[in-house]
Amino acid sequence: EPRDVHRFVLMAIDRRSGRVVWERTAREERPHQPSMKDGTWASSSPITDGRRVFAYFESSGLYAYDMEGTLLWQKHFGDKKMFADVGESGSTPVLYKDRLVLAWDHQGSSFVVALDARTGEEIWRAPRQEVDAWATPLVVEHDGRVQVVTAAEKRLRSYDLETGNIVWESEGLTMN
């Protein structure tokens, strides 16, 4: 079990010089459960649309900053409960226009959620009966409909990006 307080940090680095332009501590806390010995509690990748940058630390929250490092909003979904102390999933939210979508699959009440990237306001949430999925959602457009495709153990599912309704589903994958 982790004993130390951790700093969940986002940094902007100048790609030409390697100089740190700004650094922000999103949260400082003791993680609520262990991680794999070679893993971290910050394994998701930050994403940007060139106007905002989104840092996702799973149980420690989702944070939106402007390009100068000003916090715009933050959102917390609770504490994930992961199988066998392997750590949180490390899936990254996906950004499509002004929609940010993430899968929150764990040993508790799982869901997929779409947020307004500008405000963090929840647009829709679809409950799921999945556990410990590590896959980042994929946004695709097919026949004029934008869909969010998710992979998990029980089912592969496609959700309509506008409504959260299931478009199609099929057999799932292994837990890993």
Side-chain angles (χ1 to χ4, degrees):
E1 188 164 314
R3 300 180 195 280
D4 299 329
V5 171
H6 291 264
R7 289 178 57 226
F8 294 89
V9 175
L10 178 67
M11 296 187 306
I13 300 172
D14 183 294
R15 74 170 103 184
R16 290 184 191 96
S17 69
R19 179 182 65 83
V20 175
V21 178
W22 53 259
E23 178 178 316
R24 300 294 181 265
T25 299
R27 193 171 183 95
E28 287 187 57
E29 68 181 0
R30 183 176 165 255
H32 69 95
Q33 68 177 34
S35 179
M36 292 180 71
K37 72 178 179 90
D38 295 328
T40 75
W41 288 271
S43 57
S44 300
S45 300
I47 56 176
T48 184
D49 59 5
R51 295 172 291 160
R52 300 168 296 244
V53 60
F54 304 93
Y56 180 46
F57 301 107
E58 305 222 26
S59 291
S60 294
L62 173 63
Y63 301 83
Y65 293 87
D66 68 16
M67 299 308 281
E68 287 74 45
T70 301
L71 180 65
L72 301 172
W73 55 264
Q74 62 187 15
K75 188 103 173 157
H76 292 87
F77 300 100
D79 285 344
K80 279 191 166 182
K81 298 172 191 81
M82 303 303 284
F83 175 75
D85 296 334
V86 296
E88 296 192 6
S89 70
S91 65
T92 298
V94 64
L95 182 63
Y96 182 84
K97 297 185 180 177
D98 277 325
R99 293 278 168 98
L100 193 61
V101 181
L102 63 93
W104 183 270
D105 293 336
H106 69 128
Q107 298 284 318
S109 297
S110 297
F111 56 88
V112 173
V113 64
L115 306 171
D116 184 319
R118 297 166 298 197
T119 65
E121 180 181 331
E122 200 167 297
I123 297 169
W124 56 260
R125 181 183 290 219
R128 294 158 59 84
Q129 305 300 314
E130 297 292 353
V131 295
D132 299 357
W134 285 270
T136 296
L138 174 68
V139 174
V140 296
E141 186 174 337
H142 181 70
D143 287 338
R145 177 186 248 177
V146 181
Q147 302 174 45
V148 178
V149 179
T150 61
E153 180 181 14
K154 295 179 183 172
R155 306 296 289 167
L156 296 176
R157 290 183 187 88
S158 173
Y159 299 88
D160 184 286
L161 181 63
E162 291 302 312
T163 65
N165 294 331
I166 294 177
V167 176
W168 57 262
E169 60 184 329
S170 68
E171 290 182 32
L173 306 171
T174 66
M175 185 174 177
N176 292 326

